[in-house]
Amino acid sequence: MADFLELQRRRWYAVWDVPQDCRHAFNGKKRLKLSLGVDSRREALARVGPVVAGWKRTAEQARGGGDSLAARASFFREALAKAADQDEREAILDQIGDLADQIDPGPLEGQHGSHDDRPDASRFYGLATGKLIEIAPMVEPWLASRHVAEKTKAMDRSTVKLLVARHRTVQEVDRKAASRFTEQVLGNGRKAATVRRMVTGLSAFWLWLQNRGDYPENQRSPWEGQAPAKPRGRGVFSDNDADRRPFTEQEARHFTAAVDARAAKHPVDAEVVRIMAVTGARLEEVCALACSDIRVVNGVAWLTVREGKTAAASRRIPVVAPEVLEALQARLKAPALPLFPELKKDRYGNRSAALSKRLGRLLRKAVTDKDLVAAHGWRHRARTLAEHGGIEPWIADAFIGHERPGEGLSRYSKGPSDADLLRMAWAIPLP
């Protein structure tokens, strides 16, 4: 028993006494026994380890309230993948079949009867042989492999969770199932843009499965073409609700005054808003600045945005407005400190979440037009003022961090000069 082997009728068996606290995971059995299919003790010793380790893993899962059947199956699936030759593979398959019989006695595939009558045995056999791939255990490894923002990972995790509630395995999700899921679940009360983003996440998940070999390489993804089509632009004036617009100068003054009125409670809000007003920078770009990202030279504060929404977000922005320049200089302390330490990071590492909500609520009290957004309104204003001031489009886009595909600026040019950027800065005064 020390090596979990027992000889019966010239055949070696793996045996294990099941701890009392986890017998419920083994149909109440006190002792497990499984034929190793060999009469040689040396071969039996080589085969018994995986079997007993699988049993122990199941016991650990049972103690922790996990999915013991899936844990047992994953062990044998790994053993199959590592099988040295066909003989060892066939021996492991025999073990899988025997265990399935113990889980739910009855005929297996290739014998009389249906798997539908034995759901636990069928599930175990499919998972152990790799014929079934359950979605839920794959989610965290997939997310860990992605180089995206934590917020994106959280949204994709929520999307797959919705899918798992409806379909347990990858094999269940054919094109018809994906179409119905998109229409009935994802499209239920969500905007088309949100559904497109969720389908994009599922497509990325399926591509990862395909690259791992868990989905057929030559098979079309079930998510291809399932997202709602983007609306096509037309050559007419549009009042599309999705269009965002800039602050008018009157709206900008009123909004800034409303933020100033709350300065006693949230003094940082007014400083962040003024920086956005003269730079057109995104809210999170401003909130994420560190003291080391600010350099004052000859009466100009140069802000270095190190990362952002796109590659073009990484840039230098000059600030020339005296009021903003003075506020920035007052905050420059230890280089390692954040510029706005009072803005705390959320679970995704962003400092702008609470401020964004405050500004949004304040704006809605003054302006009911949903096309005007508290943060993006400043970006649109900066771009509009640049256009009215005669600033070349490629300079304006570099200043506010917009990509310009197809022009080769990143390959053949270093972008606008400091003098060009300063012209843009002077074109965007405080309201």
Side-chain angles (χ1 to χ4, degrees):
M1 280 297 296
D3 52 15
F4 307 104
L5 288 176
E6 186 175 291
L7 184 64
Q8 292 186 11
R9 295 186 295 276
R10 300 183 63 182
R11 287 287 178 178
W12 287 101
Y13 286 77
V15 292
W16 186 57
D17 292 325
V18 183
Q20 186 173 1
D21 63 342
C22 54
R23 288 175 184 170
H24 61 279
F26 300 93
N27 301 326
K29 293 185 177 182
K30 298 180 180 180
R31 191 167 187 260
L32 301 180
K33 183 169 66 173
L34 181 67
S35 172
L36 298 174
V38 295
D39 54 11
S40 166
R41 179 178 173 80
R42 178 178 293 181
E43 292 183 27
L45 282 171
R47 296 184 180 189
V48 72
V51 175
V52 176
W55 287 335
K56 290 182 177 180
R57 183 184 299 181
T58 301
E60 292 171 4
Q61 291 279 337
R63 289 190 179 104
D67 188 343
S68 59
L69 190 147
R72 296 167 77 181
S74 65
F75 176 82
F76 283 96
R77 186 169 61 249
E78 293 172 8
L80 273 177
K82 297 176 181 178
D85 51 39
Q86 186 61 29
D87 289 341
E88 184 177 350
R89 181 177 176 82
E90 289 179 359
I92 296 172
L93 287 172
D94 288 340
Q95 294 172 18
I96 292 171
D98 290 342
L99 275 175
D101 281 335
Q102 291 182 15
I103 292 169
D104 193 356
L108 280 174
E109 190 174 290
Q111 301 178 18
H112 298 292
S114 170
H115 279 205
D116 295 337
D117 299 330
R118 312 168 56 218
D120 289 340
S122 178
R123 179 175 173 238
F124 172 78
Y125 192 84
L127 293 175
T129 57
K131 293 182 178 180
L132 291 181
I133 302 295
E134 291 200 329
I135 297 171
M138 297 292 188
V139 178
E140 293 307 318
W142 167 58
L143 293 175
S145 72
R146 304 194 72 195
H147 300 289
V148 296
E150 288 302 316
K151 186 175 182 179
T152 302
K153 291 184 180 181
M155 290 189 294
D156 286 340
R157 183 182 289 110
S158 298
T159 301
V160 181
K161 186 176 180 180
L162 291 174
L163 179 65
V164 171
R166 191 172 176 120
H167 299 291
R168 193 168 192 169
T169 67
V170 173
Q171 286 68 29
E172 293 176 40
V173 187
D174 56 15
R175 291 194 57 78
K176 182 179 290 186
S179 176
R180 290 175 178 171
F181 176 77
T182 302
E183 179 182 348
Q184 298 171 7
V185 179
L186 300 186
N188 187 14
R190 295 183 178 87
K191 293 182 179 180
T194 302
V195 177
R196 283 195 291 272
R197 191 262 304 160
M198 298 174 88
V199 172
T200 297
L202 290 170
S203 297
F205 181 39
W206 246 250
L207 179 60
W208 179 80
L209 290 170
Q210 198 169 51
N211 290 338
R212 280 172 48 97
D214 292 323
Y215 189 75
E217 186 174 355
N218 58 351
Q219 189 168 327
R220 185 184 182 189
S221 168
W223 305 105
E224 184 179 334
Q226 302 292 1
K230 291 185 178 181
R232 297 182 63 183
R234 295 182 179 273
V236 296
F237 183 83
S238 172
D239 57 356
N240 190 334
D241 289 342
D243 290 342
R244 291 175 176 174
R245 68 172 179 84
F247 279 103
T248 65
E249 290 306 292
Q250 183 179 5
E251 289 170 338
R253 286 191 292 271
H254 287 170
F255 182 62
T256 304
V259 174
D260 289 343
R262 296 162 56 95
K265 186 175 182 181
H266 299 293
V268 69
D269 295 10
E271 296 183 44
V272 172
V273 165
R274 280 173 167 78
I275 294 175
M276 288 194 296
V278 299
T279 63
R282 298 177 178 90
L283 179 59
E284 178 56 29
E285 292 174 348
V286 176
C287 294
L289 288 170
C291 292
S292 58
D293 296 328
I294 315 298
R295 186 183 177 195
V296 180
V297 181
N298 298 326
V300 177
W302 289 89
L303 280 57
T304 300
V305 178
R306 301 195 179 279
E307 61 180 346
K309 188 176 181 180
T310 66
S314 179
R315 63 199 188 280
R316 294 169 66 245
I317 313 172
V319 173
V320 296
E323 182 180 343
V324 182
L325 180 60
E326 183 180 349
L328 285 170
Q329 287 179 306
R331 282 186 170 271
L332 297 182
K333 299 175 182 178
L337 291 177
L339 188 64
F340 302 108
E342 53 267 70
L343 298 176
K344 305 303 180 184
K345 290 184 178 181
D346 63 9
R347 58 177 176 162
Y348 305 120
N350 297 331
R351 297 182 181 273
S352 61
L355 175 54
S356 177
K357 292 178 180 178
R358 290 200 299 270
L359 297 180
R361 288 193 296 264
L362 193 60
L363 179 64
R364 290 284 80 85
K365 289 180 179 179
V367 182
T368 58
D369 183 1
K370 293 184 179 180
D371 289 347
L372 181 60
V373 181
H376 278 76
W378 295 115
R379 287 177 64 74
H380 287 269
R381 172 181 178 267
R383 190 65 175 76
T384 301
L385 290 177
E387 182 177 335
H388 294 170
I391 302 298
E392 293 88 337
W394 64 277
I395 295 176
D397 285 343
F399 187 97
I400 63 176
H402 270 168
E403 291 182 319
R404 294 181 61 80
E407 294 193 4
L409 292 178
S410 62
R411 182 183 298 271
Y412 302 113
S413 168
K414 297 299 183 183
S417 65
D418 287 357
D420 291 330
L421 294 174
L422 283 169
R423 283 196 297 119
M424 172 79 176
W426 285 112
I428 316 172
L430 282 170

